[in-house]
Amino acid sequence: NVGMDCGDVRVSVANGRLEVEAPASIEVFNSAGVLVARAADGSLSVDLSSGIYVVSAGTAILKVVL
């Protein structure tokens, strides 16, 4: 299990599941720039394959490695 906070954005990864909590909408992109998940309500939980992802939530942009 790995977790991190960036301002009001909380990201955690465990067993291939990405969880994000933020006060804004959330978008997750794969390393090719393709949108793979989106949540308008500020809460996201999604199973992803191994890889590098970019999480965008409000003004925060985070790189996540699964």
Side-chain angles (χ1 to χ4, degrees), residues 3-65:
M4 67 186 306
D5 292 335
C6 180
D8 293 336
V9 179
R10 184 177 326 146
V11 178
S12 63
V13 176
N15 300 320
R17 176 173 288 277
L18 173 68
E19 296 184 355
V20 183
E21 297 290 330
S25 62
I26 301 162
E27 295 180 323
V28 180
F29 300 89
N30 66 16
S31 59
V34 176
L35 180 68
V36 295
R38 174 183 285 160
D41 63 0
S43 180
L44 175 76
S45 181
V46 61
D47 290 321
L48 297 170
S49 58
S50 296
I52 299 171
Y53 296 90
V54 175
V55 176
S56 174
T59 61
I61 299 173
L62 306 164
K63 187 185 302 183
V64 178
V65 179

